[in-house]
Amino acid sequence: MSGPVTDPRALSRVVPVDRARLVAYANASGDQNPIHQDAGVARSVGLPDVIAHGMWTMGAALDVVTAYVGGDPGRVLSCTTRFTGMVVVPEGAVVELHVEGVVKKTDEVAGTQTIEVTASCGGEKVLGRCQAVVRA
Amino acid sequence: MPVNPDYAGREYPPAGPFRVTREEIAAFADALGSTSAAHRDAGAAQQLGYADVVAPPTFAVRLAQQCEAQVVRDPGAGIDFARVVHGEEAFTHHRPIVAGDVLTGVLHVDRIREAGGHGMVSTRVELTDADGAPVTTVTSTIVVRGEGS
């Protein structure tokens, strides 16, 4: 199913997001909550503007982990995160999500590694305790 | 209206079946900006040993949220969706999701608690394949903001 290949260079990436990408994610995920598409609705519930789905941010961030294990999604055994910040996406803007992964732990017996992923936007961390366990 | 603590421990009837398609997987990967060819190219996935294209690690949320809707929309649960924010999410993959899978999800309400005037609802969705074998466990915690916030 997999080789032992890992690519540490893949653990760093910038993922762009704009309103069109959020509409695409809403359609792909089925989460049509208007706070992710409509600034009026977002502001009416106290948000600064349209925000990305937390699950978009998690999914976009975790792709560095899939890339790290040679692009084999089946080697990503588990992943977890807390949602601690917001990715605000103004109309007409392209916002950059900066993603960095670090190998935190290697379990030689199990043949796994734990990757800690940091995702930030405008210098602010938007995910907390985001980790994935991979078959290394 | 606060979240109803009596819903803790509740299990809902199976939801689905959800038939996973190549197009769904590719659209999900594209929206995330995912780079792996295995999400889009059946040949690339087969080279890795899979029958067809493979879903990204968080794809199961698409199915899990349809299962979770059973409690979120249940009037007796007391969850005001307009006040819901996402707290935590986790996926355990017993095997990867592949195009062609026909999956069923069973929703469990694992825990309901109050913290700082907010309601916290922790759910678990167990996704199984057509043979009944486990595929993915999705756990989620939503926070229902209290009236004062």
Side-chain angles (χ1 to χ4, degrees):
Chain A
M1 288 293 267
S2 66
V5 179
T6 54
D7 180 7
R9 293 167 308 169
L11 286 172
S12 181
R13 188 180 319 150
V14 176
V15 186
V17 56
D18 59 8
R19 290 284 184 87
R21 176 153 267 177
L22 294 185
V23 172
Y25 183 76
N27 293 335
S29 68
D31 184 345
Q32 297 287 352
N33 186 332
I35 65 169
H36 307 303
Q37 298 185 47
D38 183 324
V41 173
R43 291 192 181 108
S44 76
V45 297
L47 296 167
D49 202 331
V50 164
I51 60 167
H53 309 68
M55 286 306 309
W56 178 85
T57 307
M58 182 186 190
L62 281 165
D63 190 58
V64 302
V65 174
T66 306
Y68 172 74
V69 289
D72 182 348
R75 288 170 65 189
V76 183
L77 305 178
S78 65
C79 51
T80 181
T81 197
R82 291 181 173 180
F83 301 99
T84 55
M86 293 184 290
V87 175
V88 180
V89 184
E91 180 65 43
V94 178
V95 176
E96 291 186 335
L97 183 72
H98 291 256
V99 185
E100 292 286 340
V102 179
V103 179
K104 291 298 277 191
K105 194 168 78 177
T106 298
D107 184 333
E108 300 282 359
V109 175
T112 60
Q113 288 184 324
T114 302
I115 315 291
E116 185 163 17
V117 178
T118 305
S120 57
C121 202
E124 296 284 319
K125 285 187 183 180
V126 291
L127 297 177
R129 294 174 60 176
C130 181
Q131 292 194 336
V133 176
V134 300
R135 196 165 61 241
Chain B
M1 171 179 159
V3 177
N4 183 350
D6 295 346
Y7 273 60
R10 196 168 279 226
E11 175 182 323
Y12 283 78
F18 306 106
R19 190 172 298 275
V20 179
T21 69
R22 285 181 183 178
E23 293 74 18
E24 282 174 5
I25 289 174
F28 196 93
D30 287 348
L32 295 178
S34 299
T35 53
S36 173
H39 300 319
R40 302 172 183 85
D41 176 348
Q46 285 157 1
Q47 281 200 322
L48 294 169
Y50 303 104
D52 207 325
V53 297
V54 188
T58 62
F59 175 85
V61 73
R62 175 186 163 91
L63 313 180
Q65 286 185 344
Q66 292 177 69
C67 302
E68 291 156 13
Q70 294 174 103
V71 67
V72 172
R73 295 194 188 132
D74 187 331
I79 297 171
D80 177 0
F81 193 69
R83 308 189 70 83
V84 165
V85 291
H86 203 164
E88 300 175 33
E89 190 86 7
F91 300 81
T92 301
H93 298 289
H94 311 291
R95 69 155 173 86
I97 296 174
V98 175
D101 275 337
V102 179
L103 305 179
T104 300
V106 174
L107 169 68
H108 304 260
V109 182
D110 279 346
R111 194 171 176 212
I112 293 177
R113 62 195 186 279
E114 285 277 329
H118 308 297
M120 320 262 284
V121 181
S122 297
T123 57
R124 173 171 46 93
V125 173
E126 300 286 0
L127 290 167
T128 54
D129 65 16
D131 300 326
V135 177
T136 307
T137 302
V138 184
T139 59
S140 183
T141 297
I142 58 171
V143 180
V144 187
R145 289 179 299 150
E147 296 296 326
S149 61

